[in-house]
Amino acid sequence: MRAAYSFDNDDPAAELRHDLLAEILDPFTFDRLRALGDLTGLRCLEAGAGGGSVARWLAERGGRVLATDLNPRHIPQNQGYAVRRHDLTTDPIPEPPWDLIHARLVLAHLHDQNRILVRLADALAPGGILVVEDWLSAYPDVVLAAPDAAAAELVERYHRILVNQLLPANGADPAWAGRAHAALLAAGFDEVTTEIRAGSWAGGTAGARLIAVNVAQVGAGLRAAGMTEAELERLCRLADDPALVVRSHFTYSTMGCRR
């Protein structure tokens, strides 16, 4: 049985989440994909397309793109790419072979990543490229600056509950990104490379604002773990307070070529 995804696309806050994630992650993703050279005519599968920003970028550069998601309601239509509902864990990979498959913030939320990587490898054309990108969020001590000690401890506590309890309870593995490189090698990929990016998120920026979106989407779990309404309300205020600065999650971008 599939575990419940923590950040359901049917949730009212999901659209804002996709917008914030695109603002945070697209520059790094586009740097990685741009390094592949000319994309004109390449068959590109954007798996777990979310809000569609990467699919649109690939299509604008001449890729023939299929954007898939378990719940594709937030992928805009008529943007130069096709859209399809698809379950990466159970459905056959659609319309192989692909020249490029990209999956961002997807595999860390799924079980049996190794099996999925083999299926993705089998769906690539010879010489095809797989790019998987995930957050390594399993590290504590995220607060770089805070308006006071109580605010710092509140944010650290929120992070511990989210990463150590709520995400794993819903099937996610906050440490998966650190194993992705070895997993691609084990799945038979060549020329595997990993680049890692991190930075700081001040209150009011997209990264810090994710705190308030998380409260909206997994607030029930935070409450069940003992957080009070007053604490959740302060977390939301801190998300917009420039006096709070948190370290971003480590974004691991791992790329391999099919033999």
Side-chain angles (χ1 to χ4, degrees), residues 89-145:
T89 63
T90 59
D91 297 338
I93 306 299
E95 302 178 14
W98 297 97
D99 301 305
L100 170 65
I101 299 176
H102 175 256
R104 187 173 75 187
L105 303 191
V106 176
L107 290 182
H109 291 278
L110 304 178
H111 292 291
D112 200 4
Q113 294 99 343
N114 293 339
R115 178 182 64 85
I116 294 171
L117 285 174
V118 170
R119 295 175 65 230
L120 292 172
D122 289 343
L124 283 166
I129 300 294
L130 173 67
V131 184
V132 294
E133 298 182 304
D134 276 294
W135 272 339
L136 186 66
S137 56
Y139 284 98
D141 302 322
V142 296
V143 176
L144 302 178

Side-chain angles (χ1 to χ4, degrees), residues 77-90:
Q77 303 285 333
N78 303 315
Q79 298 288 312
Y81 52 78
V83 178
R84 180 176 303 178
R85 184 182 299 272
H86 179 256
D87 187 334
L88 193 58
T89 63
T90 59

Side-chain angles (χ1 to χ4, degrees), residues 144-254:
L144 302 178
D148 53 66
E153 173 51 32
L154 177 63
V155 173
E156 294 289 359
R157 181 176 164 224
Y158 146 82
H159 179 79
R160 290 194 299 270
I161 293 170
L162 180 68
V163 170
N164 297 334
Q165 299 180 42
L166 302 188
L167 294 181
N170 284 337
D173 183 350
W176 148 253
R179 302 195 304 275
H181 193 112
L184 263 69
L185 290 172
F189 285 90
D190 283 332
E191 302 172 30
V192 178
T193 64
T194 295
E195 292 190 13
I196 304 165
R197 185 171 294 184
S200 60
W201 293 336
T205 65
R209 290 175 63 202
L210 274 179
I211 294 173
V213 176
N214 288 343
V215 169
Q217 292 201 270
V218 297
L222 294 169
R223 294 181 188 93
M227 300 199 81
T228 67
E229 291 299 330
E231 288 174 328
L232 296 180
E233 289 172 5
R234 186 166 197 213
L235 277 173
C236 292
R237 293 195 302 272
L238 286 167
D240 280 319
D241 184 348
L244 176 72
V245 184
V246 296
R247 172 186 46 75
S248 74
H249 305 310
F250 298 100
T251 305
Y252 279 57
S253 178
T254 301

Side-chain angles (χ1 to χ4, degrees), residues 3-29:
Y5 177 49
S6 297
F7 307 115
D8 190 346
N9 272 357
D10 287 329
D11 190 281
E15 184 173 3
L16 176 56
R17 171 178 295 280
H18 289 309
D19 290 344
L20 295 176
L21 290 175
E23 183 176 344
I24 297 163
L25 293 169
D26 280 358
F28 187 26
T29 294

